[in-house]
Amino acid sequence: MKPTLQLKLNTGLTLTPQLQQSIRLLQLSTLELNQEITRLVQENPLLELDEGIDRDEFEIEGQDTSLSPPDLPAAAESDEIPEIGKNTDIQSDWLDDPLYTDQEPFFDTRGRGNGSDEDHDQDFSRLISKPVSLREHLLSQISLGQYCERSKKIAELLVDSLNDDGYLAQDLDELAGLLPPELGISTADLESALDYIQQLDPSGIGARNLQECLSLQLAALPDNTPLRDEALKLVNEHLESFAAKNFQLLKKVLDCNEACLQSIYQLITQLNPRPGDDFNATTARHVIPDVIVTKSDSGWGVRLNSDSVPRVRINSLYAGILKHHRTEATRMLMGQLKEARWLVRNLDQRMDTILRVSQAIVDRQQAFLEQGETAVRPLVMREIAATLGLHESTISRVTTQKYMWTPHGIFELKYFFGSHIPAEAGESHSAIAIRGLIKRLIQDEDRRKPLNDNQISQMLAQQGIVIARRTVAKYREFMHIPPTNLRKTL
């Protein structure tokens, strides 16, 4: 066959690098955005952070990179697990702005919304001394102990085998088999060293299971501790019944009344099942809200959190030089100036979209802001998308890993979207509100006779919410609430 040339016409959509950057910035979380901006500032000499911001603060990966909003109480993160959208849609009218203007753009969230920026105290977190680890704490005690050097070395070997909770998960026979024969360390030597470690602080360290850990802590209590022997018997012989809260059987085997069993119960529950936990120092991770909800005379409004992202601007010195000296030698810098302008505009577009979506959510969740999670109304992304003239995939990207501070805590924007359940009166109830009602019923129940899932289902039906028992169980497990028998107390 002879080679031929053919012309074909087809339509397609090509995303420019600027639009690709806009989409990428839109879906980034606050921490990821800080890291991305830091990288771009380091690569582009035409970009710079505002002088009021410490650049090192954004260069530490995995560290809390921003201060919490001023005068805001601590709140828990939403336990909703969102599904990340795969597509997006961006309005492109703002892309027609002229590339070069007389005034250099400056991305600053302080001028957005109705909030004001406040100065924060100096951060002295770097001056805090490093906490002592569990290993260092144990080795210091071993070094000061009246013990021969060989036994100390064996004890140090076992310390290195402890996990973060302070347990020895490895079998001593297995550990002895892994040691070089020329060391001459037997299983008996390891057992002797383990007995020594179990006498160290904290109490319960070196245990091989939960039962041994609790038993070691009870044995370390003074001999005159009330009901210590009964608690030891319960832990050593009836721990499974104790975990199952089979109080009738425990009263029978311990030959005690309810008041006595309650005292034993309190004594055991005060013990620490993870003695090494206090030495696992971790840096507190705080959720940084992107927007803050406030109430005024005109109603509920949303403003951007000025601490959620660093403020970026174009280097005015370099931009001024390039404006008057456009030569072949400055071509690469001109390209970097163009990229810097696009970044500033894309950041501004990102914050504007987040603000618009957040305000639309607040307008529809007024009852939640007034009454709490039991008043969350059913909401789907299609409703917000239609109101703002955006695509649903854009709403999905905006609401993923973006957080809102409310009077009831900090919530991910995606928290306010979810399934709904029809009611008898024709209205629908949000699954979030139903979970809140279930949580409230369980909080108000009699701990001696906790409600079962069927009883909760019947109580909800009396309020016009008809859901099956298995649905109640699913919501209860989603909120990590234990079943009826494990919620029972004396």
Side-chain angles (χ1 to χ4, degrees):
M1 296 180 61
K2 293 183 180 181
T4 59
L5 294 176
Q6 294 181 346
L7 291 177
K8 290 185 178 180
L9 297 177
N10 54 37
T11 59
L13 177 64
T14 302
L15 292 179
T16 64
Q18 293 80 11
L19 271 177
Q20 292 177 7
Q21 182 188 69
S22 176
I23 294 171
R24 186 172 68 255
L25 294 178
L26 188 63
Q27 66 186 0
L28 294 180
S29 65
T30 299
L31 178 60
E32 293 169 340
L33 181 64
N34 287 327
Q35 295 172 347
E36 177 71 8
I37 290 176
T38 300
R39 182 186 67 81
L40 294 174
V41 169
Q42 292 173 346
E43 294 178 354
N44 193 335
L46 273 299
L47 283 171
E48 63 179 7
L49 295 176
D50 187 10
E51 294 179 357
I53 294 192
D54 184 5
R55 298 190 183 199
D56 294 338
E57 184 180 357
F58 303 102
E59 296 176 0
I60 303 175
E61 183 176 359
Q63 182 176 341
D64 181 14
T65 58
S66 179
L67 299 173
S68 300
D71 302 325
L72 298 184
E77 182 181 354
S78 169
D79 58 2
E80 290 288 309
I81 302 176
E83 179 179 354
I84 299 177
K86 298 182 179 179
N87 301 312
T88 190
D89 180 72
I90 292 291
Q91 298 295 310
S92 59
D93 296 340
W94 58 277
L95 296 174
D96 297 329
D97 294 341
L99 179 60
Y100 297 103
T101 59
D102 294 334
Q103 184 176 3
E104 299 302 331
F106 172 60
F107 174 68
D108 187 349
T109 59
R110 289 177 293 185
R112 310 294 296 277
N114 56 4
S116 62
D117 192 22
E118 298 182 12
D119 295 331
H120 297 285
D121 295 332
Q122 184 177 354
D123 183 13
F124 293 98
S125 60
R126 298 178 184 176
L127 303 180
I128 300 176
S129 59
K130 182 181 178 182
V132 178
S133 65
L134 175 63
R135 181 178 182 275
E136 294 170 341
H137 181 67
L138 295 176
L139 292 182
S140 65
Q141 297 178 70
I142 294 174
S143 64
L144 298 175
Q146 301 297 323
Y147 221 41
C148 67
E149 288 301 320
R150 181 176 184 274
S151 299
K152 286 184 178 181
K153 294 297 182 184
I154 298 176
E156 292 174 0
L157 174 67
L158 289 179
V159 168
D160 291 334
S161 301
L162 300 179
N163 60 23
D164 292 338
D165 293 332
Y167 284 81
L168 180 66
Q170 195 169 15
D171 185 73
L172 291 180
D173 291 331
E174 180 183 352
L175 184 59
L178 295 175
L179 297 175
E182 57 269 19
L183 295 179
I185 300 177
S186 63
T187 303
D189 295 329
L190 293 176
E191 290 177 348
S192 177
L194 182 60
D195 290 339
Y196 174 65
I197 290 176
Q198 291 178 348
Q199 299 174 22
L200 301 178
D201 178 74
S203 179
I205 202 73
R208 284 159 286 192
N209 50 57
L210 176 62
Q211 184 181 60
E212 186 177 17
C213 178
L214 299 179
S215 179
L216 288 171
Q217 294 181 58
L218 288 170
L221 296 175
D223 295 337
N224 59 352
T225 302
L227 302 174
R228 188 193 71 162
D229 294 337
E230 290 80 359
L232 273 169
K233 180 179 179 182
L234 190 154
V235 167
N236 292 328
E237 300 177 11
H238 308 286
L239 187 60
E240 292 184 0
S241 299
F242 178 79
K245 297 189 176 183
N246 191 344
F247 299 129
Q248 294 299 327
L249 176 62
L250 293 177
K251 286 191 291 185
K252 181 178 180 180
V253 297
L254 295 177
D255 191 21
C256 64
N257 55 27
E258 186 169 324
C260 176
L261 182 60
Q262 187 172 10
S263 299
I264 297 173
Y265 180 87
Q266 293 176 352
L267 178 61
I268 295 176
T269 52
Q270 291 174 357
L271 303 177
N272 186 2
R274 298 183 178 89
D277 234 12
D278 294 338
F279 297 88
N280 298 330
T282 56
T283 304
R285 299 298 300 273
H286 302 284
V287 176
I288 306 171
D290 296 86
V291 294
I292 299 172
V293 180
T294 56
K295 188 176 183 179
S296 62
D297 295 338
S298 58
W300 293 96
V302 178
R303 65 178 175 88
L304 294 172
N305 178 18
S306 60
D307 294 322
S308 61
V309 291
R311 292 179 284 274
V312 182
R313 62 184 176 188
I314 294 176
N315 188 297
S316 57
L317 176 62
Y318 288 168
I321 294 175
L322 293 176
K323 190 177 298 183
H324 299 92
H325 298 82
R326 301 185 183 183
T327 63
E328 188 69 22
T330 62
R331 176 176 297 180
M332 185 175 69
L333 289 177
M334 294 293 293
Q336 291 178 321
L337 177 61
K338 181 179 178 180
E339 293 175 359
R341 292 178 183 275
W342 276 110
L343 175 64
V344 171
R345 293 192 179 111
N346 285 338
L347 287 173
D348 188 57
Q349 173 69 11
R350 177 186 187 272
M351 301 309 295
D352 180 71
T353 304
I354 292 175
L355 187 63
R356 292 173 59 205
V357 172
S358 301
Q359 186 62 59
I361 293 174
V362 167
D363 292 342
R364 287 157 180 77
Q365 297 294 355
Q366 302 279 342
F368 162 78
L369 297 172
E370 298 286 351
Q371 306 172 32
E373 63 179 347
T374 56
V376 175
R377 56 153 288 189
L379 183 64
V380 294
M381 294 185 183
R382 188 185 312 109
E383 182 177 345
I384 301 296
T387 302
L388 301 179
L390 300 175
H391 195 272
E392 284 184 56
S393 58
T394 302
I395 306 300
S396 177
R397 289 183 182 273
V398 170
T399 56
T400 300
Q401 295 184 317
K402 314 298 186 305
Y403 296 91
M404 174 189 292
W405 185 91
T406 73
H408 304 288
I410 298 178
F411 297 89
E412 187 178 17
L413 297 183
K414 189 157 285 187
Y415 167 82
F416 300 99
F417 301 92
S419 58
H420 62 279
I421 295 177
E424 290 183 342
E427 299 180 354
S428 297
H429 294 279
S430 169
I432 301 173
I434 295 176
R435 288 198 296 266
L437 290 173
I438 294 174
K439 185 190 299 184
R440 180 180 296 179
L441 290 173
I442 293 177
Q443 288 175 346
D444 297 340
E445 70 184 0
D446 183 1
R447 294 298 182 182
R448 294 173 177 267
K449 297 180 180 179
L451 300 171
N452 57 41
D453 296 336
N454 189 50
Q455 291 173 323
I456 295 176
S457 176
Q458 294 174 357
M459 296 174 72
L460 291 175
Q462 295 174 0
Q463 303 181 33
I465 305 173
V466 180
I467 58 175
R469 180 199 60 80
R470 61 179 179 273
T471 305
V472 174
K474 181 182 72 172
Y475 287 168
R476 176 179 53 75
E477 293 171 357
F478 179 84
M479 294 183 289
H480 305 288
I481 298 176
T484 304
N485 63 315
L486 297 183
R487 299 200 308 271
K488 185 177 181 180
T489 59
L490 290 168

